[in-house]
């Protein structure tokens, strides 16, 4: 396929149709290794559909997905027909609605559904969970992204920014190569939003590739290396966030006031 030499993930001619309704049409996009790519567009532009395809939540109607093999260094085709397959490919997604269990503590949420078992008979036979390991690794994962949160704290009693950090830490436990953040600042305070933007920079500094979806264009200009604009289910342009574009120009691409070509 035709992709950038430094691409870690690429999609080629991807479409999603629901009968006669076209949610996404013929999108080709390369995501570079260790970049922060922001995907923007008005409501109905196709952002959520695109993210669900990359996450394996819904299958594509047409098109292919590629991931760079860590051993060969070459792009190889991957199948993203389920969340499990996406995770196996190294893609983790933190959706806007984080699916955290508010009555459980931090460590329980970080390891929800993949709790480690104790060594020996107690783990293999009696299936006892290694709670000490869960707490230790939760602290490490949160520390990696710049948050200090008690692993025994009840999740529902924490701030929105802290809850987002827990959701990200849960994604990082599998050591993914690509982290997708879907509207991570939508329901948090101004202070919490800044912590999440700092978190994105921490993820990039640790070697992760980040795909960042947001309606807040000021946040895009603050953390994105590159911006992909979707409109009416199509990719209309890709822009380098190099200081030469402004909000008015970006909105023009989103609304169609500025046409490519």
């Amino acid at each position: 396929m035709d992709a950038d030499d430094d691409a870690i993930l690429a999609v080629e001619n991807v479409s999603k149709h629901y009968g006669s309704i076209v949610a996404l049409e013929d999108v080709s996009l390369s995501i570079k290794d260790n970049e922060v790519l922001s995907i923007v567009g008005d409501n109905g532009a196709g952002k959520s559909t695109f993210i669900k395809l990359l996450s394996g939540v819904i299958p594509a109607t047409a098109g292919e997905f590629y991931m760079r093999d860590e051993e060969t260094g070459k792009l190889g085709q991957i199948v993203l027909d389920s969340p499990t397959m996406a995770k196996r490919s190294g893609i983790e997604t933190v959706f806007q609605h984080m699916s955290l269990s508010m009555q459980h503590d931090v460590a329980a949420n970080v390891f929800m559904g993949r709790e480690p078992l104790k060594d020996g008979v107690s783990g293999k036979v009696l299936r006892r969970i290694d709670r000490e390991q869960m707490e230790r690794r939760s602290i490490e994962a949160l520390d990696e992204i710049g948050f200090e949160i008690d692993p025994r704290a009840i999740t529902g009693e924490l701030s929105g920014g802290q809850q987002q950090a827990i959701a990200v830490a849960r994604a990082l436990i599998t050591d993914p190569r690509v982290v997708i953040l879907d509207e991570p600042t939508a329901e948090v305070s101004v202070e919490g939003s800044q912590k999440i933007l700092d978190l994105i920079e921490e993820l990039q500094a640790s070697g992760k590739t980040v795909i960042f979806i947001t309606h807040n264009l000021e946040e895009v200009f603050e953390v994105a290396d590159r911006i992909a604009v979707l409109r009416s289910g199509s990719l209309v342009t890709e822009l380098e966030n190099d200081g030469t574009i402004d909000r008015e120009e970006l909105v023009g691409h989103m609304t169609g006031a500025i046409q490519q070509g």
Side-chain angles (χ1 to χ4, degrees):
M1 70 160 295
D2 184 20
D4 294 334
D5 291 339
D6 54 355
I8 187 173
L9 175 65
V11 302
E12 187 172 62
N13 305 125
V14 168
S15 299
K16 180 61 181 178
H17 300 168
Y18 296 95
S20 62
I21 298 174
V22 177
L24 209 66
E25 184 68 13
D26 201 28
V27 171
S28 295
L29 178 66
S30 295
I31 296 94
K32 299 177 183 179
D33 189 19
N34 198 217
E35 78 168 337
V36 176
L37 172 69
S38 184
I39 298 177
V40 301
D42 283 339
N43 290 333
K47 302 187 302 298
S48 294
T49 299
F50 185 67
I51 293 311
K52 288 177 180 177
L53 291 173
L54 287 181
S55 306
V57 173
I58 57 176
T61 303
E64 290 81 40
F65 301 89
Y66 298 85
M67 179 73 81
R68 189 167 300 281
D69 187 278
E70 292 184 280
E71 294 185 3
T72 67
K74 297 180 179 179
L75 284 174
Q77 190 170 352
I78 58 173
V79 176
L80 297 178
D81 59 0
S82 70
T84 298
M85 291 302 293
K87 293 174 189 294
R88 286 179 182 173
S89 298
I91 303 169
E92 285 280 359
T93 304
V94 180
F95 288 102
Q96 181 177 354
H97 301 290
M98 299 168 285
S99 298
L100 297 176
S101 178
M102 295 301 171
Q103 71 270 27
H104 285 88
D105 66 20
V106 171
N109 270 291
V110 170
F111 282 91
M112 190 73 69
R114 49 195 175 198
E115 295 84 353
L117 300 176
K118 288 180 174 291
D119 292 330
V121 174
S122 63
K124 293 180 180 179
V125 178
L126 301 178
R127 311 298 293 174
R128 288 179 177 167
I129 293 172
D130 191 339
R131 176 69 195 191
E132 183 178 336
Q133 181 185 164
M134 287 171 58
E135 292 184 6
R136 183 182 71 254
R137 291 181 61 193
S138 294
I139 291 172
E140 292 171 353
L142 287 161
D143 182 66
E144 182 180 347
I145 54 178
F147 280 77
E148 291 186 13
I149 305 174
D150 183 350
R152 298 184 180 183
I154 300 301
T155 302
E157 298 175 359
L158 301 174
S159 69
Q162 289 173 315
Q163 290 172 7
Q164 278 286 355
I166 295 166
V168 172
R170 180 169 63 186
L172 294 181
I173 285 295
T174 62
D175 193 25
R177 301 168 69 192
V178 178
V179 179
I180 302 172
L181 300 176
D182 179 25
E183 298 283 0
T185 63
E187 299 177 5
V188 302
S189 65
V190 173
E191 181 180 357
S193 295
Q194 187 56 55
K195 279 289 271 183
I196 291 168
L197 297 181
D198 293 342
L199 181 155
I200 290 172
E201 293 178 344
E202 290 281 351
L203 287 172
Q204 185 179 35
S206 69
K208 308 297 183 188
T209 298
V210 181
I211 301 175
F212 175 43
I213 297 86
T214 183
H215 281 91
N216 189 319
L217 299 187
E218 300 310 315
E219 294 175 352
V220 171
F221 288 123
E222 182 171 344
V223 300
D225 297 310
R226 199 159 53 96
I227 306 165
V229 182
L230 291 173
R231 186 174 71 246
S232 300
S234 297
L235 177 66
V236 294
T237 191
E238 300 172 49
L239 304 167
E240 295 290 337
N241 186 22
D242 56 6
T244 63
I245 57 175
D246 57 24
R247 181 186 178 91
E248 183 177 351
E249 179 183 354
L250 184 54
V251 170
H253 286 293
M254 292 168 59
T255 60
I258 297 176
Q259 297 287 336
Q260 284 298 100

